[in-house]
Structure formats: C-alpha cells, structure tokens
Amino acid sequence: MSREIYERLVEALPEASFEYLEEKDPAISVKTDDLFEVARYLKEDQGFDYLSAVTGVDYPDRFEVVYHLYSMKKGTRPLTLKVSASKEEPEVPSVTPIWPGANFQEREVYDLMGIRFVGHPDLKRILLWEGYKGHPLRKDFPLEGYQAIGQEEPS
C-alpha cells in the first residue's frame, strides 16, 4: 500500500522531494520544505483523513518527526510519513491546519523534544510548566539535579 501511495506522490508532486523507505514497516520520508504540501495531498487526494499519532525521535545526527495516517473511509493500512529536522534548529511545518488533531500532539513533541512546529496556532508547553528548562526526552537532557517522583532526597 505504501509503495502505491509513494508512486502517486511522485506523479502528483514531481517537484517535491521524498523517498520510499524499505523498512520493517514501510514509510515515506519527506523533506521539511515539502511536508505541508505532501500532507495536504495525502488528505485531500488520497483520503488519509485521520492522523493517529505525531511522535519525535532523537537520533545522534538529527531529530525525526513521524506521522501515522489512516484512511477511515477506505479502511487502508496505516501510512507512515517521516520528516527530519536538524539538531541546531529543529523545526518542521505544523500539520494542524490539515489535521486539527495534530494540535496537542505537536505541542507534546515540542514540550518534550524541543521540535518547533512552524505555523502552529498555539505552540506552548502542554505537560511541563512554562519556564521549565530543557526538553526531557532528548538524549542530551541532563539528569543530574533531578529527583524521580516518589524517591526520597539523598541524605
């Protein structure tokens, strides 16, 4: 299924840059600049009307945002869409205008990973308080000075 969608993307958006990834679960990798256009095409022309998850992954050389899409009308298998973001300026376009359900999920990824979603209508922390220093799901997050909930302070 993912291969067919990929081939339709190549035909419909020849100027966009994406790649079919042959993994355990096939995915389509999209360049950051093309994400919004590809997402809109997948929803409007291919019927992927449901975004079930937006997650962030911290790799040594980059961040990656992963989207899991479904077509409720067609009952298709999920489509995985991936976009990379740099470690220095981790930003990707918001897909909230396309799938409103991305709103809180993008805020969660921003809060815990520090990836900014450009064009998000209200990008602010959702789990941690404003002023919290850092993003705790990053691999470079310093654990020194933090006490786990439920543990006593060392004496």
Side-chain angles (χ1 to χ4, degrees), residues 7-143:
E7 290 169 3
R8 289 183 206 145
L9 275 169
V10 169
E11 186 176 313
L13 305 171
E15 68 287 344
S17 180
F18 32 78
E19 168 185 10
Y20 185 75
L21 304 173
E22 298 277 354
E23 299 175 347
K24 185 175 113 182
D25 297 317
I28 297 173
S29 175
V30 180
K31 296 283 186 198
T32 304
D33 294 342
D34 298 320
L35 174 64
F36 194 82
E37 184 179 0
V38 168
R40 183 177 24 232
Y41 172 79
L42 289 172
K43 181 177 183 186
E44 294 174 2
D45 295 334
Q46 295 301 309
F48 285 92
D49 53 353
Y50 179 59
L51 171 69
S52 69
V54 178
T55 57
V57 183
D58 184 354
Y59 289 106
D61 61 334
R62 71 189 188 288
F63 289 108
E64 191 171 77
V65 180
V66 182
Y67 304 85
H68 296 279
L69 311 172
Y70 292 85
S71 174
M72 301 306 281
K73 294 176 185 171
K74 296 178 183 178
T76 60
R77 293 184 54 175
L79 174 67
T80 303
L81 196 61
K82 297 182 177 187
V83 63
S84 292
S86 74
K87 285 282 194 170
E88 297 77 34
E89 292 291 327
E91 292 184 340
V92 299
S94 173
V95 296
T96 299
I98 298 168
W99 294 289
N103 187 327
F104 282 9
Q105 295 181 64
E106 288 179 350
R107 286 179 59 194
E108 181 181 14
V109 172
Y110 164 69
D111 192 5
L112 299 176
M113 299 286 293
I115 300 169
R116 299 192 60 77
F117 291 87
V118 178
H120 189 282
D122 189 26
L123 192 62
K124 61 183 179 183
R125 290 194 181 266
I126 192 168
L127 298 171
L128 300 167
W129 56 94
E130 289 298 327
Y132 185 87
K133 301 244 188 296
H135 305 281
L137 291 185
R138 284 189 176 189
K139 291 183 177 174
D140 62 356
F141 184 75
L143 296 177

Side-chain angles (χ1 to χ4, degrees), residues 140-153:
D140 62 356
F141 184 75
L143 296 177
E144 297 81 30
Y146 287 91
Q147 176 184 341
I149 295 174
Q151 288 185 350
E152 293 182 27
E153 287 193 42

